Amino acid sequence: MRPMASPVPRLAERVLSGDPRAIARLISRVERGDAGVVEDIAQLFEAGGGAHIIGVTGAPGTGKSTLVAGIASDFLRRGRTVGVVAVDPSSPYTGGAILGDRVRMSAVAAEPRMFMRSMAARGALGGLARATADAVTVLDAAGKDVVLVETVGVGQDEVDIASAAHTTLLVSVPGLGDDIQLLKAGVVEIADVHVVNKADRDGADLLVGQIKTMLNHGPSEGLRDAWQIPVVTTVASREQGIGGLVDTIEGHHRWLRRGGELARRERHMAAARISAICTGILRDRLQDPGVGAEFEAAVEGVYRRRVDPWTAAQRLVEGLSWRAPQGEH
Amino acid sequence: MRPMASPVPRLAERVLSGDPRAIARLISRVERGDAGVVEDIAQLFEAGGGAHIIGVTGAPGTGKSTLVAGIASDFLRRGRTVGVVAVDPSSPYTGGAILGDRVRMSAVAAEPRMFMRSMAARGALGGLARATADAVTVLDAAGKDVVLVETVGVGQDEVDIASAAHTTLLVSVPGLGDDIQLLKAGVVEIADVHVVNKADRDGADLLVGQIKTMLNHGPSEGLRDAWQIPVVTTVASREQGIGGLVDTIEGHHRWLRRGGELARRERHMAAARISAICTGILRDRLQDPGVGAEFEAAVEGVYRRRVDPWTAAQRLVEGLSWRAPQGEH
C-alpha cells in the first residue's frame, strides 16, 4: 500500500493502485472535461510509460470491436493486463455511449485484469483526441501492460488518435468496396500491421494481394526500412488467426525496442499530444469571456464582409494573452 | 470587362469574371497552401456573399455523389449557376483525387455554368476544413448562385465543414445499419433536411419513421422552432425525388431569409471559420523554425516524462510570439 497524502485518497492515487472504479470515474471526468482533471492526468502521466499502446483503426463494418475483444482476450491468456478505449462516433440516438458501456461493463466485472471503455465525442474539435489520450494515460498509469485504442479512422481526428500508438493496425475486409475502406494516403501510411478480417469471405486473397501490391508500390519513406509491414488474415467472429496476429503485434513491439525506433515513435507521440493540447488551449482562450468581445467584433466584421477571415484571425491571435487564468493548470 | 491593375491580370481578377480555368488554378493553390494565396482569398472574400451554400453529408455508401450531381443538375435546369466541392477522404491509391477530378472535369467541359471539384486532404489537422472554406469562397466570388459541399461527415473535421453552410442535408439509406449511419449527436443536430436515399430499398419506411421519431424526441434547442425539419425520400440513381428535394432546399433558404436566422447562421459560419484559421495560425507558429527549439525541448521533456504534456503545452503557448513573419499575411 502506498502512503496517502490525505484521509480521502485522491482519485489519481486510487487509479495508480489499479482500482477499476477509480479508473472509470476518472475517465468520465476526462470525457466531461471537469475542472481539476488536468492535475490528475499530470500526476498520472509521470507515473506511466510502461504500456504497449496499440491503435486499431478501420472503416465501419470491418468488425474492429470483435477483433479488439479477441486481441484483448489473447493478451489476457498470455498473462498481460489489458485496457481498451473504443472511440465510437456512432453512438445511439440517446446520446453518449451508454449502451456500449453497459455491455462492456459486464466484461469488466467478469475479468478484473481487463478494463474496456467507450469514449463519446463531446465538445469541440480535437476534444475527442485529447480525451482519448488522457484515457490512455489513465490506463497506462493504472498498470495495464497493453492498451488498445479502437477508432473508426475516417476523419483527421481519428487518424491522429490511431497514430498516437506504438503499433497501429489497419483493418479491412473483402467486398466492402474501395470507397469505404481506409485507402486514403494518411491512414494507409500509419499502418504497422495490415489485418484482413472476415477472411473467410470471397475476395480475401484478392484484397491481401491488393494491399501487398500497394505496400510494394507505395511511397518509400525510408523510416520503416527494417520493419516489413505484414498482412495478417483473421476471422475474428470465429477467433481464427488472433494468436498469429498477437504474435505479429508482439514482434513489432520487440522490433521497436531493439533499435532507436521506440524513442523516435514516442517523441512523435509526445509532439502530437503537445500540439493537440496547444490547440485546445487556444480554443479555450478564444471562448474566454475576456476575449469574447474581441472575438465577437471579429465575427461581426467578417459577417459584414468589412474584413476577410484571415486578417481578422491574425489580428485576434496577436492580441491574445496566453497566461492561464487563476485556478487553471 | 473590369480594368486590370497590371498587364497580367491577377488570378483573383480572373476568378471574379467566372473563368473556370482560373477557378481551378486558384483552388489548386488553396489545396497546396501556396504562398500568397491568402491575399487572393481575402480579395475574393469581400466580393462574395451571394451564394447559397449547401452542405451534403452522410456515411460512405449513401450515394451522396450521385445525389449531389442530381441536385446540381436540377439547379442548372432552374437557371442557376452551380459550384460543387467534394471533400473525399477515400482517394485512390495513387494519392490525391486525380481520377475523381478527371471524371468531374468532363462534366465541367460539358456544362460551363457548373464547376465541380474534389478536394484532397493534405497537411495537418484542420487543413482540409480551411481549404474547403477557401474553395467555397472562390466559387462564391466567381458568381455561383449555389455552392454544394459534399463531405463524408464522419469525424469532427467533416462535421465542421458540413456545418459551415446555410442549409445542411444529412443523407442516410435503408439497410446500412445504425452503426455506420451518422447518428452521432453532433451530426444529427446540424441537419436542416434529412434525405433518405435509395428509398426503393426495403426498410425505407422504417428508416423514415425512425428519423421522424428521433426528430420528435431529440433535444429541443429552441433555435429552429419555426423550421420543421423535413425527411425527404429520393432514389438519386434514377433521378427520383430530386425536384422535390430542391424545392425543400429552396424553401429552407427562403425561411432563412425571412427571419433573423440567416444573419445568425452567417455569424456562426464566420465564427467557425475564424476559429479554424486561428488554430491553423497556431499550428504554423509551432512549426516555425524560431519556435522549433522550444517545441523540441517540450517534446523531449514529455518523452522523458520530466514534465506532463499539459504543463509543457501551457508553457509553450505562453512563450509564443504571434506577429506574422515578414511576407506572410
Side-chain angles (χ1 to χ4, degrees):
Chain A
M1 296 298 276
R2 66 180 66 231
M4 300 298 179
S6 66
V8 182
R10 280 181 64 93
L11 204 48
E13 297 289 337
R14 287 169 51 208
V15 166
L16 285 171
S17 73
D19 176 353
R21 261 182 291 183
I23 297 172
R25 270 191 57 201
L26 187 51
I27 295 180
S28 294
R29 297 190 59 206
V30 160
E31 269 189 313
R32 288 192 304 263
D34 284 2
V37 73
V38 167
E39 281 75 10
D40 285 328
I41 297 300
Q43 184 182 347
L44 292 175
F45 181 81
E46 286 166 37
H52 178 198
I53 303 169
I54 303 165
V56 182
T57 194
T62 52
K64 283 183 307 297
S65 294
T66 310
L67 188 69
V68 164
I71 294 169
S73 299
D74 201 273
F75 272 117
L76 287 172
R77 276 195 293 274
R78 293 172 191 224
R80 315 293 169 78
T81 56
V82 180
V84 176
V85 184
V87 181
D88 190 350
S90 56
S91 59
Y93 287 133
T94 47
I98 299 158
L99 182 64
D101 264 2
R102 274 189 203 147
V103 173
R104 279 155 182 155
M105 280 304 168
S106 63
V108 176
E111 175 49 81
R113 290 176 302 144
M114 172 134 93
F115 186 94
M116 305 189 89
R117 175 66 178 238
S118 284
M119 302 290 287
R122 260 166 247 210
L125 172 74
L128 189 58
R130 292 154 75 195
T132 305
D134 286 349
V136 171
T137 291
V138 172
L139 291 169
D140 180 3
K144 300 302 174 198
D145 301 316
V146 171
V147 177
L148 290 151
V149 183
E150 176 196 334
T151 77
V152 171
V154 186
Q156 190 59 49
D157 230 28
E158 281 74 16
V159 173
D160 289 347
I161 293 167
S163 65
H166 294 108
T167 304
T168 304
L169 277 53
L170 180 55
V171 188
S172 48
V173 296
L176 207 60
D178 279 3
D179 55 332
I180 58 173
Q181 306 259 343
L182 299 174
L183 303 177
K184 66 166 170 167
V187 178
V188 168
E189 282 161 12
I190 62 168
D192 299 302
V193 177
H194 278 269
V195 183
V196 172
N197 193 29
K198 305 187 185 180
D200 52 347
R201 285 191 184 176
D202 285 346
D205 292 346
L206 182 68
L207 180 56
V208 169
Q210 285 173 335
I211 295 169
K212 286 185 174 169
T213 303
M214 181 194 69
L215 291 172
N216 289 331
H217 290 91
S220 175
E221 286 182 71
L223 293 172
R224 289 173 195 169
D225 282 341
W227 176 250
Q228 296 298 317
I229 298 171
V231 185
V232 180
T233 56
T234 56
V235 185
S237 60
R238 295 192 205 152
E239 298 179 35
Q240 288 174 8
I242 305 296
L245 174 59
V246 173
D247 288 343
T248 301
I249 293 168
E250 297 210 303
H252 183 254
H253 200 211
R254 275 195 304 276
W255 173 81
L256 285 178
R257 282 176 308 196
R258 237 183 352 247
E261 182 66 14
L262 185 65
R264 196 193 70 81
R265 199 158 294 204
E266 293 194 336
R267 283 194 178 87
H268 171 80
M269 289 157 69
R273 193 160 180 193
I274 293 170
S275 293
I277 296 170
C278 287
T279 304
I281 294 173
L282 170 68
R283 191 163 297 104
D284 293 347
R285 208 56 85 239
L286 289 178
Q287 288 167 356
D288 197 272
V291 176
E294 285 164 59
F295 188 72
E296 283 311 309
V299 168
E300 196 62 22
V302 169
Y303 164 66
R304 303 250 173 233
R305 292 188 188 258
R306 287 193 299 253
V307 61
D308 70 89
W310 291 89
T311 303
Q314 179 60 42
R315 285 182 196 151
L316 201 59
V317 295
E318 284 180 7
L320 283 180
S321 161
W322 289 95
R323 296 265 147 238
Q326 271 212 329
E328 230 182 80
H329 193 71
Chain B
M1 297 299 275
R2 65 180 68 232
M4 300 299 178
S6 65
V8 182
R10 280 180 63 93
L11 204 49
E13 298 289 338
R14 287 169 51 209
V15 167
L16 286 171
S17 73
D19 176 353
R21 260 183 290 182
I23 297 172
R25 270 191 57 201
L26 187 51
I27 294 180
S28 294
R29 297 190 60 206
V30 161
E31 270 189 313
R32 287 192 304 262
D34 283 2
V37 73
V38 167
E39 281 75 9
D40 285 328
I41 297 300
Q43 183 182 348
L44 291 175
F45 181 81
E46 286 167 36
H52 178 198
I53 302 169
I54 303 164
V56 182
T57 193
T62 52
K64 283 182 308 298
S65 294
T66 309
L67 188 69
V68 164
I71 294 170
S73 299
D74 201 272
F75 271 118
L76 288 172
R77 276 194 293 274
R78 293 172 191 225
R80 315 293 168 76
T81 56
V82 180
V84 176
V85 183
V87 180
D88 191 350
S90 55
S91 58
Y93 285 133
T94 47
I98 298 158
L99 182 64
D101 265 3
R102 274 188 203 147
V103 173
R104 279 155 182 154
M105 280 304 167
S106 64
V108 176
E111 176 48 81
R113 292 175 302 144
M114 174 134 93
F115 187 93
M116 305 189 89
R117 175 65 178 238
S118 284
M119 302 290 286
R122 259 167 246 210
L125 172 74
L128 189 57
R130 292 154 76 195
T132 304
D134 286 350
V136 170
T137 291
V138 172
L139 291 168
D140 180 3
K144 300 302 173 198
D145 301 316
V146 171
V147 177
L148 290 151
V149 183
E150 176 196 334
T151 76
V152 171
V154 185
Q156 190 59 50
D157 230 28
E158 281 73 17
V159 173
D160 289 347
I161 293 167
S163 65
H166 294 108
T167 304
T168 303
L169 277 54
L170 180 54
V171 188
S172 48
V173 296
L176 207 61
D178 278 4
D179 56 331
I180 58 172
Q181 305 260 344
L182 300 174
L183 302 178
K184 66 166 169 166
V187 178
V188 168
E189 281 161 13
I190 62 170
D192 299 301
V193 177
H194 278 269
V195 182
V196 172
N197 192 29
K198 306 188 185 180
D200 53 347
R201 285 192 184 175
D202 286 345
D205 292 345
L206 182 68
L207 180 56
V208 169
Q210 285 173 335
I211 295 170
K212 286 185 174 169
T213 303
M214 181 194 68
L215 291 173
N216 289 331
H217 289 92
S220 174
E221 285 183 71
L223 293 172
R224 289 173 195 168
D225 282 342
W227 176 250
Q228 296 298 318
I229 299 171
V231 185
V232 179
T233 56
T234 56
V235 186
S237 60
R238 296 192 205 151
E239 299 180 34
Q240 288 173 7
I242 305 297
L245 175 58
V246 173
D247 288 343
T248 301
I249 293 168
E250 297 210 303
H252 183 254
H253 200 211
R254 275 195 304 277
W255 174 80
L256 285 177
R257 282 176 308 196
R258 240 187 346 251
E261 182 65 14
L262 185 64
R264 195 192 72 80
R265 199 157 295 204
E266 292 194 337
R267 282 193 179 89
H268 171 79
M269 289 156 71
R273 193 159 181 194
I274 293 170
S275 292
I277 295 170
C278 287
T279 305
I281 294 173
L282 170 68
R283 190 164 297 104
D284 292 348
R285 208 56 85 238
L286 289 178
Q287 288 167 356
D288 196 272
V291 176
E294 286 164 59
F295 188 72
E296 282 310 309
V299 168
E300 196 62 22
V302 170
Y303 164 66
R304 304 249 174 234
R305 293 189 186 257
R306 286 192 299 253
V307 60
D308 70 89
W310 292 88
T311 303
Q314 178 61 41
R315 285 182 196 150
L316 201 58
V317 295
E318 283 181 8
L320 283 180
S321 160
W322 289 95
R323 297 265 146 237
Q326 271 211 327
E328 229 182 81
H329 193 71

